[in-house]
Structures are given as structure tokens and as C-alpha cells.
Amino acid sequence: MSFKEKVIYQIYPKSFLDTNQDGVGDLAGIKQKLPYLQQLGVDMIWLNPVYVSPQKDNGYDIADYKSVNPLFGSMEGLEELIFAAQELKIDIMFDMVLNHVSTEHIWFQKALAGEKKYQDYFILRDQPTDWVSKFGGNAWAPFGDTGNYYLHLFDKTQADLNWRNPELREELYEVVRFWMDKGVKGFRFDVINLIGKDEELKDCAENDGKPAYTDRPINHEYLRDLNQATYGADSEIITVGEMSATSIPECILYTKPERHELNMTFNFHHLKVDYVDGKKWTQMPFDFTRLKELFHTWGTQMSEENGWNALFWNNHDQPRALNRFVDVDNYRVEGAKMLASAIHLNRGTPYIYMGEEIGMVDPDFTSMDQYVDVESLNAYQEMLDAGKSEVDAFEIVKAKSRDNSRTPMQWSSEKYSGFSTVNPWISVGKTANEINVAKELQEGSIFSYYQKLIRLRKDYPLIAEGSYEAFLPDHPQIYGYLRRLGKESLLVINNFFPQETTIEIPDEFLTGKILINNYEDEVIDKNIQLKPYQSIAIYCD
Ligand code: GLC
Ligand code: CA
């Protein structure tokens, strides 16, 4: 099965299921829930980092690439998980953080101790540039008492690696091969479009310095090299690159099959349509016109140029999409299904973030003490320093924090949502009694809707392989698209609003059949009146 037909489920291990009652999710918990994932129908699970790490950035600060963090279990436990998943035809995707390591990594420690070999693993300069760290503050920190500075595009405990050094590159390839040998079949490469830094690093006042280090030409060379040295020869391996502040032309280059870089890319433009002036720590209602424009330009151009998108609404870095794009108090269920249809029938590989399949929402925290995430804590402080009141700053953190998606999976209405029997590392969301897996499987309809969407992608090659065209691009409420493959066509219409609206169906679809619909009515007329958040897909051949 090609990666175009697959659906990938993302698990944030810390928050999935705690089996040894220490308040932290673990590998054994994931293993225990494999039948649930099999029931959903997903092909692969992407695990956020489970390596040894001081957890300053929840595992994205790796101190040892080849060991499992005891917090999550053991290497043996991981091997058992990989094996048990394979038995159910589910593969494991690992998160490869190759742009930076924790400052506790032995390489950084040896570099600090003066070993030249390891100093050349990092990006050291005697003069910092003006680049801003993605987690706030300048992106350079003093390198011990040497008078030099090391680059950290993220937290100061995450030191950027020097990919210009072939020895360093070989070490990283060795890491990828190590996990391939363990049976890992997928790799998600963290901020992989930032690995290629220029030889000469220059000040850049624009956009916090991003243009100076993002999507540099050499980045493609490194990816081809990585491909060749590791997963390139194994057609079963699936790769996805997380691309920070990227562009369509770059993502086409990263994913065009004949370039041998990656299978697909994540980009985040569609999740910035509720940012004021592109700034995350602000609040505004989402801009639907912008959202639609982005989907259409990415969809069309990737389709025309044979690139491939990873499709998603949620992940561990985003607040829950339901709170951002849907009137969640009145239409949670309809909205959840509509959002799902909008991407699962689209051209690209869909990702489901844990809890999305039961319509989980933001946790509704009431105090700053409940937040754990380093980025959120820094942002709160920066907003206060900039003169915002505590109340205003809190409201923004509440809407924007990554912790919104990192709360424990809501399994049942038991205490701590069935995630653990002890107080979890991060508070459980307020809705756990109403929104949970046990209840959803008994009386809900979102989970079964996801099952159906996953099935459709496998039953209709058109969904996996078809081209993409915009439908009604100027409609104020509808995000619609057409998929075509040979004689077959699919029309997907999504009403993104709580207001009804009427649209005209192209003649070719009047005799078509409805593949999926989030309301009961099943007739196709020339004019269809769409209900709040209604989504319909009509197929004809
Ligand atoms: C990616 C990860 C995010 C992490 C950052 C630094 O964006 O998804 O969680 O903080 O990279 O590794
Ligand atoms: Ca545990």
C-alpha cells in the first residue's frame, strides 16, 4: 500500500495512557490500546519523541538518540510495541529531531569540555546574529566561558547541530539506520528545513531572522544525502518533513518523487489564519477566505507539480482545531466531521491527532499554574513584560498554548479520564466526563465517521491518487474541491459556518452517489441546501 492510501495517527506518548501509575503515559499504554487503533483503521502511528531527554521541550531536547527514556519504558518494551503493532498491521513512525540536541547530550558536553571534534558538531560564533529564538529571546547563548556563542533556534537547552560537518551527518544517519533496524517504518523529521545553515550567518531583521536560515538551498542536498544513506533503498519506509515557515515551491522540491528527498511535508500556513499579522500570541477569529485560498493554492500546485502534502488540523503544537474553526458550543459533532471530511477526502496523506476521533476540545484551564509548556510560559512572561495585564495575557495563552492538545487522552468518565489513577503530569480537560472514548463508542458518531473516511481512502483509488481542483472558490461559506482520476470524479463540499447556505451542483454529479454526509438526508438535487457545518461528498464515474 502506498503512502497515499494510508492514514497516520499521532500519539503524544506522555498523555496517551499511563500503565504504571506515575502520572505519565508510557509505551505499555500504547501497546494496550493497539486494538482501539486497529478498530479505527489507521495504518501507522507517529510517536512524539520517546528518547532519553531532560524534557525541557518534552522530548524534543534529545540527550541520547539510541535509548528509550525510562519515563516511557525500556528498549525491550519498545520492541514489544513495534512487534505487537505489526501483528495488527500497524507500523510505527518515529520522530527524528536532527536539527538540534539537548545541551545534556554527550556531544555538547564534550564540546563544552573543549574537545575540538565535538565543537565542530555545533554552530559556534564569536559574534551572535540578531536572530530571534522561536521560543523567545535572542537565538544565541554564551558557550561556557569561551567567549563564543552557540546557536539555538529553539530553547537554549536545544543546541543547533552543524550539518556542514560530514562527521556529524554520518552520526545522524547512523541514528536513522539504528531505528530502521529496530523495525521502525516511518520517520517524521522535526523542523527539517532548518538544518541547512549558510556558511556565513548574517543579521536579518525580517521576520525574526527566519529567511536567513529557512529553506536554504543546501537543505535539499542534505535531504538527498540523508535519503541515500538511510531510507532511500527501502520503499516501505514513509517519510514526512516538518517544515517551518516554508513555501509551496520548496515543498514541491522536498517531495517530488524523482528528487529522492521526502515523501511529504507538513506546513502550517493554514493554522496561522487566526494570527494577527502572522504573530502567534494574538487572538482573532479565523479568516475563512485566507484559509480557503491556502488550501486551494497548495492543493492545486502540489497536484500539478506532483508534490505531496501531509494533511492535518491538529498536532501536539496546536490548540484543538474544534475550538478554532467551529462553533464548538453548538456544533461540536457536526463540525468535527466536517473538518475531518475536508482533509480525509483531500489530496495528501491525512493525520489524526489522538482524541480528534472523539471530538476532544481544549481543556479550559483556569490558571497559569496548569501550563507546563516552555513556549507558553515564555510567551506569558514576554506579554507581561510588554505591558499586557495578567488577565489579557492569560486569555491569549489559553487560546494559543500547545498544552491545549497535550492534556491526557479522555478514555472514560472515571477519575483522571481513565488515563491514570494518579494525578497526571498535566491536568485533564474539563470536558472529560462528556467527551471520552467509552461514551463515544457507545453512543457517539464521530469515531464511526472517521472509520468510514479511512475506509473510503482505501476503497476509492480516486481519493488517494486523484488530482485536485478548486470548486466554488469565491463562495463565502463553502470550502469545496473536485478530485478526478480517469473517468471518476468526486465533489467535496464543506460548509464552514453555522449558517445554512444553498449551492448548485454541477450536472455531472446529479446522478452520482453520496459517499459520505454528516447529516442524514441522502438526496441530490440541483440545488442543495447545506445545514450548519454540513459536509457532503458526491462520487460519479
Ligand atoms: C517542532 C516540534 C515542537 C518542538 C520544536 C523543536 O516544531 O513539533 O514540538 O518544540 O520542533 O524541536
Ligand atoms: Ca507511566
Side-chain angles (χ1 to χ4, degrees):
M1 201 194 301
S2 118
F3 61 86
K4 302 186 173 183
E5 285 163 72
K6 294 193 177 179
V7 175
I8 301 176
Y9 186 90
Q10 182 190 352
I11 289 180
Y12 200 65
K14 253 185 148 162
S15 302
F16 196 58
L17 183 68
D18 175 22
T19 56
N20 64 344
Q21 314 313 333
D22 61 356
V24 180
D26 40 57
L27 295 170
I30 298 171
K31 182 162 167 256
Q32 191 176 313
K33 292 294 180 183
L34 285 171
Y36 169 75
L37 301 171
Q38 186 192 31
Q39 188 185 350
L40 180 59
V42 296
D43 304 285
M44 184 172 261
I45 45 190
W46 153 26
L47 303 183
N48 290 97
V50 293
Y51 319 93
V52 167
S53 150
Q55 301 285 311
K56 291 281 191 300
D57 185 19
N58 282 3
Y60 285 92
D61 48 328
I62 298 176
D64 181 354
Y65 282 111
K66 295 184 186 170
S67 309
V68 173
N69 192 331
L71 193 62
F72 297 119
S74 61
M75 186 61 87
E76 227 185 343
L78 177 64
E79 286 165 356
E80 279 170 25
L81 168 63
I82 295 172
F83 183 75
Q86 266 163 6
E87 296 278 285
L88 302 182
K89 300 211 166 24
I90 298 175
D91 285 321
I92 302 290
M93 171 182 271
F94 251 38
D95 211 318
M96 292 279 125
V97 190
L98 307 183
N99 178 69
H100 45 264
V101 288
S102 163
T103 48
E104 288 185 20
H105 194 290
I106 186 79
W107 299 340
F108 194 84
Q109 289 301 317
K110 286 188 172 170
L112 262 186
E115 282 192 46
K116 289 272 170 298
K117 169 181 156 112
Y118 291 103
Q119 291 185 346
D120 202 27
Y121 277 27
F122 296 93
I123 300 178
L124 306 179
R125 293 290 187 274
D126 51 12
Q127 278 298 318
T129 63
D130 59 357
W131 306 350
V132 180
S133 152
K134 290 173 191 284
F135 292 167
N138 184 266
W140 298 84
F143 184 64
D145 51 14
T146 62
N148 286 331
Y149 298 82
Y150 68 93
L151 177 66
H152 63 90
L153 292 179
F154 294 87
D155 188 54
K156 61 176 179 309
T157 65
Q158 294 166 296
D160 279 56
L161 291 166
N162 176 22
W163 275 69
R164 292 198 161 260
N165 177 353
E167 234 179 305
L168 177 270
R169 292 205 298 275
E170 188 47 41
E171 294 249 29
L172 296 177
Y173 302 161
E174 178 47 35
V175 169
V176 176
R177 290 192 292 258
F178 175 85
W179 291 110
M180 283 173 62
D181 289 344
K182 293 273 180 209
V184 170
K185 296 284 184 207
F187 295 103
R188 179 258 188 197
F189 294 103
D190 191 62
V191 294
I192 201 70
N193 64 331
L194 307 183
I195 56 175
K197 275 88 171 178
D198 289 345
E199 189 114 56
E200 196 193 335
L201 306 179
K202 294 190 186 131
D203 279 348
C204 169
E206 189 192 334
N207 203 4
D208 291 344
K210 291 191 185 85
Y213 60 77
T214 306
D215 289 327
R216 305 309 294 156
I218 195 152
N219 216 99
H220 294 283
E221 279 174 45
Y222 293 152
L223 279 174
R224 278 200 293 275
D225 207 34
L226 168 68
N227 177 310
Q228 221 172 32
T230 61
Y231 51 83
D234 186 342
S235 62
E236 272 188 31
I237 303 268
I238 295 186
T239 55
V240 52
E242 186 208 23
M243 300 296 164
S244 172
T246 191
S247 67
I248 300 177
E250 290 296 331
C251 286
I252 290 168
L253 295 178
Y254 289 126
T255 62
K256 245 182 186 320
E258 63 271 27
R259 289 179 56 89
H260 301 290
E261 296 187 25
L262 298 165
N263 291 138
M264 61 187 120
T265 49
F266 286 115
N267 80 81
F268 300 92
H269 296 286
H270 66 299
L271 296 179
K272 295 183 179 169
V273 297
D274 53 2
Y275 288 16
V276 178
D277 297 331
K279 299 270 179 235
K280 171 167 178 167
W281 301 96
T282 56
Q283 254 189 306
M284 71 172 200
F286 81 101
D287 178 344
F288 176 64
T289 310
R290 177 90 191 110
L291 177 72
K292 194 166 58 164
E293 220 172 66
L294 282 164
F295 276 146
H296 285 324
T297 44
W298 278 83
T300 316
Q301 290 182 40
M302 293 296 264
S303 174
E304 285 168 1
E305 302 282 338
N306 203 21
W308 198 254
N309 283 317
L311 306 168
F312 69 107
W313 286 114
N314 293 290
N315 70 24
H316 64 291
D317 291 328
Q318 301 287 331
R320 295 274 174 184
L322 281 173
N323 294 75
R324 302 169 72 173
F325 301 106
V326 167
D327 171 359
V328 73
D329 296 328
N330 297 304
Y331 297 103
R332 184 180 67 89
V333 174
E334 295 82 353
K337 294 175 187 172
M338 186 279 290
L339 290 179
S341 278
I343 63 169
H344 280 258
L345 303 173
N346 219 315
R347 186 176 175 281
T349 300
Y351 287 68
I352 302 170
Y353 180 68
M354 63 181 212
E356 185 185 318
E357 73 283 9
I358 59 165
M360 267 176 72
V361 298
D362 287 347
D364 200 8
F365 285 170
T366 48
S367 136
M368 257 335 275
D369 303 340
Q370 290 175 286
Y371 291 92
V372 181
D373 170 37
V374 54
E375 185 201 27
S376 310
L377 300 177
N378 290 351
Y380 180 71
Q381 194 50 51
E382 281 187 5
M383 287 190 277
L384 294 188
D385 294 347
K388 273 218 157 47
S389 71
E390 286 186 9
V391 174
D392 290 352
F394 178 73
E395 277 313 307
I396 293 181
V397 168
K398 185 168 169 167
K400 292 302 177 85
S401 173
R402 310 193 288 181
D403 281 342
N404 279 313
S405 55
R406 298 178 178 185
T407 58
M409 179 71 176
Q410 294 168 192
W411 293 107
S412 68
S413 47
E414 284 161 276
K415 196 158 188 213
Y416 306 125
S417 71
F419 162 76
S420 178
T421 55
V422 303
N423 199 15
W425 71 277
I426 189 169
S427 317
V428 171
K430 266 198 195 145
T431 57
N433 287 342
E434 297 80 58
I435 304 172
N436 59 62
V437 171
K439 205 167 165 196
E440 175 65 27
L441 293 181
Q442 230 164 46
E443 58 196 55
S445 57
I446 303 175
F447 184 89
S448 55
Y449 194 88
Y450 269 86
Q451 283 179 311
K452 188 164 180 191
L453 283 170
I454 296 169
R455 195 67 257 152
L456 284 173
R457 177 165 287 262
K458 304 189 181 346
D459 292 345
Y460 289 83
L462 153 80
I463 297 174
E465 304 284 345
S467 62
Y468 178 98
E469 267 171 56
F471 176 67
L472 294 183
D474 299 320
H475 194 289
Q477 275 181 238
I478 300 293
Y479 166 53
Y481 55 86
L482 285 156
R483 308 288 315 281
R484 295 194 198 274
L485 185 70
K487 290 197 316 267
E488 298 168 79
S489 312
L490 180 71
L491 173 65
V492 183
I493 315 158
N494 307 291
N495 180 6
F496 265 75
F497 290 86
Q499 290 81 29
E500 300 196 338
T501 185
T502 304
I503 58 156
E504 230 180 75
I505 299 296
D507 288 341
E508 60 171 315
F509 290 98
L510 290 178
T511 52
K513 74 170 178 189
I514 295 183
L515 285 197
I516 191 162
N517 178 2
N518 63 351
Y519 281 82
E520 297 284 308
D521 52 324
E522 290 278 340
V523 276
I524 307 172
D525 288 325
K526 181 77 194 152
N527 291 301
I528 295 193
Q529 188 173 30
L530 294 165
K531 300 196 172 65
Y533 299 102
Q534 187 162 13
S535 170
I536 305 185
I538 310 173
Y539 170 85
C540 65
D541 59 1

